[in-house]
Amino acid sequence: MAKRNAFKDAFIPQTTLTKRTYLIVSVITFGLILAVWQLMTTMGMVDSLFMPTPKDTVEAGIRLFTEHEFLSDVKITVYRVLMGFLISVAVALPLGILMGTYAPFEAVIEPVMSFTRYLPVTAFIPLFILWIGIDESEKIAVIIFGSLPQLILMVAVDTKKVQHELTEVAYTLGTSKIAVLWKVIFPGAMPSIIDSLRMVLGWAWTYVTVAEMIGASEGIGYMIIQSQRMINVANIFVGILTIGFIGLIFDYLFKGLSRLLFPWK
Amino acid sequence: MNKEMGFHIENVSKQFRNKKLVVQALENITLDICDGEFVALLGASGCGKSTLLRLLCGLDFPTEGSISAKGVPVTGPGFDRGMVFQTYTLFPWLTVEKNIRYGLKKKKLSKPEIAELTQKYVKTMGLEGFEKQYSNELSGGMKQRVAIARALATNPDSLLLDEPFGALDAHTRLSMQEFLLDIWTANPKTVVMVTHDVEEAIFMADRVVVLSSRPGKIKEIIEIDLPRPRDRKMKIDPRFIAYKRHATDLIYDEFLKENEEFASAAGNG
Ligand SMILES: Nc1ncnc2c1ncn2[C@@H]1O[C@H](COP(=O)(O)OP(=O)(O)OP(=O)(O)O)[C@@H](O)[C@H]1O
Ligand SMILES: [Mg+2]
């Protein structure tokens, strides 16, 4: 019998890797990126003024957290993202589900949301500052304005994807036309809705950073724009990497939540 | 109204309008189905079998004509008519056990009664050991058995089956046919089963209703005068083969007629 080639097998379309292999591959990838970064900076291929070495970045990170209370910046940014995101979810979930289930709701909401969705959030920041000021509610408003229309439409699409025969079979088993909403449509749509939430949470990070760069006195985005003024590139790197790591953590939380809530998937 | 009546279908026509296209799915169907009778609807793909079943179920309504079940006009789906769909329709978020129990919870039964009934159907369907599995972990044959169990659990007067074994391989299919016949013999109720398999129709039914295509009309009703209980040996009985030849001729006839239409349409164009 021919010996199986593990490397070749891994490239069979639509197969999966073992958890261990997957982990090893991702560690190596990060390692490679780090190595390239290290090489480029130490060999002088880039100006050290604009590209810090990994070591500089780590040191800048330590300094930020110990001397400059960067932790409170991180906290306030996470708070803004979560508030904006949760309010969006609280509104988008019921509206999106109603829209995906009942045609009249769709007719009312769809056109408005499809229009709003194309308006760039960034263009509204000056307006929001004039209307609301530069306090917390302005940052949260920016996040909501950016994520809510998208989220409503995504939840509606997820809801529509629920197989029509499932509602019909529920009718034959005595479920009323109203009750199918929570007996069939809600549980059926939930897994893909959670996926949509995960995507939109990622976008919320972009909106908060932009909002913090334009009118704020604290937060990760504020720290980044301040560092730009002082040409402190290492600090900017720390800011960006911090956002990346927090994003990664939330991603894992979402995946864990999915596994917990939907054991049948 | 006759008390022995299962379904009374009178002059039923059904049109679908899609944008500019009008499809005449059924035309002038008149059929009486007795209480406790096993009827098979046989016909080529697209002749309106599923449409007729959906009308009996109350998931859709006739454009003309009327349908009643046990003398009561059909105005929507109900507990009295259980349905098994052509596609797999188990609730993926529920286990086998909870799928079967789904309809029972709507009936005013006590908890022990519900548990007992669920267990009974798990047993009759040969699903022991799979109670806690989710549907995506089941084979196609098992999924349809759960779907049948779920439809039977509420004890409906009639069972409407839309090609329940259509997606199964020949062997699984045969054992499912025998299996369903056993259950039906033990607890007879009106069954209307859609199929495009001539053998399946004759093997299972008391009467086979052959439909013609476009628009769907009743072409012929074949009384199947074969003894019961039936098992797989029946399929090589000369009488069975005679029915099969007759039904196959009817279907082939339809096929030729349709292809003639295609041919002349092509000739004109
Ligand atoms: N909701 C609908 N809208 C428009 N046309 C429809 C609809 N449902 C069915 N039809 C049409 O009615 C005809 C009969 O369809 P039906 O599904 O009843 O066929 P069938 O006999 O069950 O076929 P199959 O064996 O392939 O399942 C077809 O021409 C189909 O295109
Ligand atoms: Mg069909």
Side-chain angles (χ1 to χ4, degrees):
Chain A
M1 208 183 95
K3 197 169 168 287
R4 309 255 355 145
N5 181 332
F7 185 77
K8 262 191 185 169
D9 283 356
F11 282 95
I12 295 171
Q14 297 170 328
T15 49
T16 49
L17 297 177
T18 62
K19 260 201 168 139
R20 201 169 139 259
T21 319
Y22 190 93
L23 194 71
I24 293 172
V25 171
S26 22
V27 168
I28 292 177
T29 315
F30 271 111
L32 275 178
I33 294 171
L34 210 63
V36 170
W37 179 13
Q38 179 75 41
L39 275 177
M40 278 169 63
T41 44
T42 48
M43 286 172 62
M45 290 161 77
V46 286
D47 190 336
S48 62
L49 183 63
F50 298 121
M51 187 86 165
T53 62
K55 187 161 158 280
D56 293 342
T57 310
V58 172
E59 281 169 5
I62 294 170
R63 231 177 304 120
L64 275 173
F65 277 107
T66 52
E67 293 165 28
H68 298 279
E69 291 179 5
F70 184 49
L71 192 62
S72 64
D73 283 316
V74 173
K75 275 188 196 155
I76 192 78
T77 303
V78 170
Y79 165 78
R80 287 164 179 162
V81 167
L82 285 184
M83 279 305 281
F85 175 71
L86 289 178
I87 293 174
S88 299
V89 172
V91 178
L93 216 56
L95 278 188
I97 291 176
L98 286 177
M99 201 177 129
T101 310
Y102 300 111
F105 278 98
E106 185 181 10
V108 172
I109 306 168
E110 226 270 347
V112 183
M113 288 304 147
S114 297
F115 173 74
T116 343
R117 180 165 93 90
Y118 283 103
L119 305 177
V121 197
T122 40
F124 278 79
I125 295 179
L127 203 57
F128 284 165
I129 292 178
L130 287 176
W131 285 347
I132 312 175
I134 56 164
D135 59 359
E136 290 316 299
S137 25
E138 182 258 337
K139 312 287 172 305
I140 293 170
V142 171
I143 298 172
I144 294 175
F145 192 80
S147 32
L148 185 60
Q150 309 273 1
L151 195 55
I152 291 181
L153 293 177
M154 286 164 85
V155 171
V157 170
D158 294 333
T159 309
K160 273 197 171 178
K161 274 191 299 199
V162 175
Q163 203 190 340
H164 184 54
E165 278 97 347
L166 290 184
T167 35
E168 293 194 324
V169 94
Y171 291 147
T172 70
L173 293 166
T175 309
S176 71
K177 285 215 165 62
I178 294 171
V180 286
L181 189 60
W182 57 87
K183 295 289 282 187
V184 177
I185 292 173
F186 186 71
M190 229 27 220
S192 36
I193 289 180
I194 293 287
D195 271 346
S196 298
L197 295 187
R198 191 165 67 101
M199 303 258 304
V200 171
L201 180 59
W203 304 341
W205 280 96
T206 309
Y207 306 137
V208 80
T209 323
V210 174
E212 286 177 346
M213 285 178 176
I214 292 177
S217 49
E218 49 183 341
I220 300 178
Y222 170 74
M223 188 280 283
I224 290 177
I225 202 77
Q226 289 301 313
S227 304
Q228 185 227 334
R229 290 188 185 130
M230 295 180 286
I231 324 185
N232 188 341
V233 185
N235 278 4
I236 299 182
F237 266 56
V238 173
I240 293 171
L241 290 176
T242 309
I243 294 174
F245 279 119
I246 300 174
L248 213 59
I249 293 171
F250 275 113
D251 229 50
Y252 271 99
L253 288 180
F254 260 108
K255 281 181 185 159
L257 187 71
S258 280
R259 263 197 295 276
L260 199 76
L261 291 178
F262 318 121
W264 72 90
K265 277 279 156 185
Chain B
M1 227 335 90
N2 187 348
K3 256 191 90 186
E4 296 293 299
M5 191 66 79
F7 286 101
H8 179 65
I9 307 166
E10 195 171 312
N11 259 318
V12 163
S13 298
K14 176 71 185 174
Q15 279 182 358
F16 290 107
R17 276 167 215 277
N18 271 355
K19 290 167 194 153
K20 282 174 200 159
L21 210 71
V22 178
V23 180
Q24 183 80 36
L26 296 171
E27 196 173 270
N28 281 327
I29 304 275
T30 297
L31 180 66
D32 283 330
I33 298 172
C34 300
D35 201 14
E37 191 182 15
F38 199 129
V39 168
L41 299 177
L42 182 66
S45 186
C47 74
K49 306 181 295 291
S50 296
T51 305
L52 182 54
L53 208 66
R54 289 172 61 82
L55 298 182
L56 294 179
C57 190
L59 290 169
D60 212 337
F61 301 96
T63 320
E64 279 166 62
S66 65
I67 295 179
S68 57
K70 285 215 151 182
V72 184
V74 171
T75 55
F79 268 137
D80 55 323
R81 282 152 292 136
M83 175 104 171
V84 175
F85 285 78
Q86 196 168 359
T87 47
Y88 299 132
T89 52
L90 295 186
F91 301 118
W93 56 90
L94 297 180
T95 59
V96 164
E97 202 172 52
K98 286 183 176 161
N99 261 289
I100 296 176
R101 196 184 299 159
Y102 184 93
L104 287 173
K105 290 209 289 199
K106 297 277 164 355
K107 295 209 138 186
K108 289 173 186 67
L109 294 171
S110 70
K111 270 203 170 147
E113 281 174 315
I114 291 180
E116 193 185 321
L117 272 170
T118 310
Q119 205 43 45
K120 180 186 147 192
Y121 281 100
V122 164
K123 226 181 215 159
T124 35
M125 292 290 157
L127 293 163
E128 291 119 318
F130 292 94
E131 293 96 328
K132 305 277 185 253
Q133 304 268 77
Y134 290 103
S135 71
N136 68 351
E137 302 160 330
L138 303 177
S139 71
M142 251 188 247
K143 281 183 204 171
Q144 287 307 64
R145 268 186 280 167
V146 179
I148 293 170
R150 182 177 61 183
L152 283 173
T154 55
N155 194 24
D157 297 328
S158 58
L159 200 55
L160 307 169
L161 308 170
D162 193 352
E163 298 195 38
F165 314 136
L168 307 180
D169 66 86
H171 185 76
T172 315
R173 201 181 167 109
L174 178 61
S175 57
M176 288 291 288
Q177 289 167 359
E178 287 181 324
F179 186 73
L180 184 60
L181 275 186
D182 287 345
I183 290 169
W184 180 74
T185 314
N187 182 13
K189 43 184 84 223
T190 315
V191 177
V192 183
M193 177 163 125
V194 164
T195 179
H196 56 235
D197 181 341
V198 176
E199 260 193 31
E200 181 169 275
I202 298 167
F203 180 58
M204 303 196 71
D206 296 319
R207 275 194 298 162
V208 175
V209 177
V210 182
L211 295 175
S212 64
S213 306
R214 275 168 259 265
K217 282 190 204 168
I218 295 183
K219 189 175 172 74
E220 193 175 316
I221 298 178
I222 310 172
E223 296 265 353
I224 307 296
D225 191 13
L226 292 171
R228 291 189 189 270
R230 301 173 190 168
D231 63 17
R232 62 188 71 194
K233 278 175 246 141
M234 181 59 77
K235 293 195 176 183
I236 47 170
D237 191 293
R239 289 169 294 174
F240 184 92
I241 292 171
Y243 281 125
K244 191 176 158 187
R245 177 173 301 142
H246 178 59
T248 311
D249 282 348
L250 284 176
I251 303 262
Y252 190 65
D253 206 38
E254 263 310 298
F255 175 76
L256 278 186
K257 224 171 63 192
E258 194 146 306
N259 280 12
E260 227 165 70
E261 276 168 30
F262 281 137
S264 65
N268 292 339

